[in-house]
């Protein structure tokens, strides 16, 4: 079965600092991996996705993530945090015979950005 | 504008009173799904549908029903809501490629 682990339910950074949100996955088949962002009182917005093309994936709002098969990781980064980045971030995986129609989510990481 | 529309956004109801949360997408997507979001648990799939008249259970289907009579609509039905179904619910859809879902804005349900 597939699963996703996000390390750290809360991450706090200063404005302008590097953002690093960690995601590790478990999958017996080549996965499709996603990062979604949820702003307060809103739905989920796709930030970026990995679908077996380039291992470094660039997304919206300056975010990017690198797929590392050897580490089963798909960490999300942004070089310089903005106040507007404060939100909850979810890593998700899909793919495989038993889950190709659903996304399996991690428990989420809330990003706090200090002025 | 391509979107998934859920209604209502907020709902407070009493235990046992049947309710329906509607979901509609305008992207001609084959796949639709319902998730619930609870603190510390992320999003968990309730039901999904691969096309019209084809539905299947997700990870937490107990207490819920769905139907897919038209491609664009995928309502979530709670026949007899209970307080443990108090949650934030999301409908989502996707096409045949890409594997990423488009999400609705959510329905916050409170069962008292």
């Amino acid at each position: 079965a597939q699963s996703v682990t996000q390390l750290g339910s809360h991450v706090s950074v200063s404005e302008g600092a590097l953002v690093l949100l960690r995601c590790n996955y478990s999958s017996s088949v080549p996965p499709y991996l996603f990062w979604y962002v949820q702003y307060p009182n809103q739905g989920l917005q796709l930030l970026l996705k990995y679908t077996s093309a380039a291992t470094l994936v660039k997304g919206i709002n300056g975010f990017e993530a690198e797929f590392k098969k050897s580490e089963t990781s798909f960490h999300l980064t942004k070089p310089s945090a903005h106040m507007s980045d404060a939100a909850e971030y979810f890593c998700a995986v899909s793919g495989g015979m038993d889950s190709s129609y659903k996304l399996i989510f991690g428990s989420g990481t809330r990003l706090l950005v200090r002025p | 504008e391509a979107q998934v529309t859920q209604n209502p956004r907020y709902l407070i109801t009493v235990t046992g009173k049947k309710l329906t949360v509607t979901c509609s997408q305008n992207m001609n997507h084959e796949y639709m799904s319902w998730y619930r979001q609870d603190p510390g648990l992320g999003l968990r799939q309730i039901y999904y549908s691969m096309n019209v008249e084809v539905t299947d259970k997700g990870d937490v289907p107990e207490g819920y029903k769905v139907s897919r009579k038209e491609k664009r609509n995928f309502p979530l039905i709670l026949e007899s809501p209970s307080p443990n179904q108090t949650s934030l619910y999301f409908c989502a859809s996707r096409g045949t490629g890409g594997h990423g879902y488009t999400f609705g804005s959510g329905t916050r349900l409170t069962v008292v």
Side-chain angles (χ1 to χ4, degrees):
Chain A
Q2 296 179 314
S3 66
V4 175
T5 301
Q6 290 184 241
L7 296 176
S9 59
H10 292 79
V11 170
S12 180
V13 300
S14 297
E15 192 173 18
L18 171 72
V19 175
L20 171 61
L21 304 183
R22 299 178 186 274
C23 173
N24 288 89
Y25 69 91
S26 170
S27 177
S28 59
V29 297
Y32 294 91
L33 293 158
F34 307 85
W35 276 100
Y36 282 86
V37 60
Q38 184 180 29
Y39 298 102
N41 298 316
Q42 294 188 25
L44 278 77
Q45 180 182 5
L46 181 66
L47 269 180
L48 51 81
K49 61 182 179 182
Y50 167 76
T51 56
S52 75
T55 57
L56 182 63
V57 181
K58 294 188 182 299
I60 62 172
N61 301 338
F63 285 93
E64 63 182 37
E66 185 173 8
F67 172 68
K68 292 187 176 181
K69 184 178 179 180
S70 61
E71 299 177 8
T72 61
S73 69
F74 191 57
H75 301 332
L76 182 71
T77 60
K78 181 174 180 178
S80 176
H82 291 223
M83 296 298 292
S84 60
D85 295 326
E88 189 156 22
Y89 293 80
F90 292 93
C91 182
V93 63
S94 75
M97 293 297 291
D98 64 339
S99 62
S100 60
Y101 301 119
K102 72 178 181 184
L103 290 173
I104 298 171
F105 286 88
S107 56
T109 298
R110 186 169 298 279
L111 177 65
L112 307 171
V113 182
R114 305 184 302 271
Chain B
E1 179 187 356
Q3 60 186 358
V4 176
T5 303
Q6 293 178 232
N7 281 295
R9 288 293 308 277
Y10 301 91
L11 179 60
I12 301 174
T13 191
V14 296
T15 299
K17 184 177 182 181
K18 181 180 178 179
L19 65 91
T20 299
V21 183
T22 64
C23 174
S24 180
Q25 51 95 3
N26 62 0
M27 296 165 281
N28 201 37
H29 283 168
E30 288 76 15
Y31 308 118
M32 297 186 74
S33 184
W34 277 101
Y35 289 84
R36 62 177 288 174
Q37 183 182 8
D38 301 290
L41 297 177
L43 284 85
R44 295 175 293 168
Q45 191 184 54
I46 303 170
Y47 268 94
Y48 65 94
S49 169
M50 291 174 280
N51 215 320
V52 175
E53 302 291 3
V54 182
T55 64
D56 206 349
K57 297 177 180 179
D59 298 318
V60 288
E62 295 77 19
Y64 304 95
K65 287 176 56 178
V66 293
S67 68
R68 189 90 182 273
K69 297 178 182 177
E70 305 167 283
K71 197 171 187 179
R72 63 183 291 122
N73 296 322
F74 190 45
L76 179 70
I77 303 158
L78 285 72
E79 294 271 2
S80 183
S82 63
N84 64 13
Q85 293 178 297
T86 293
S87 187
L88 180 57
Y89 291 86
F90 287 102
C91 181
S93 73
R94 74 167 178 93
T96 53
H99 290 248
Y101 275 92
T102 299
F103 283 81
S105 298
T107 296
R108 186 168 293 280
L109 172 66
T110 302
V111 184
V112 298

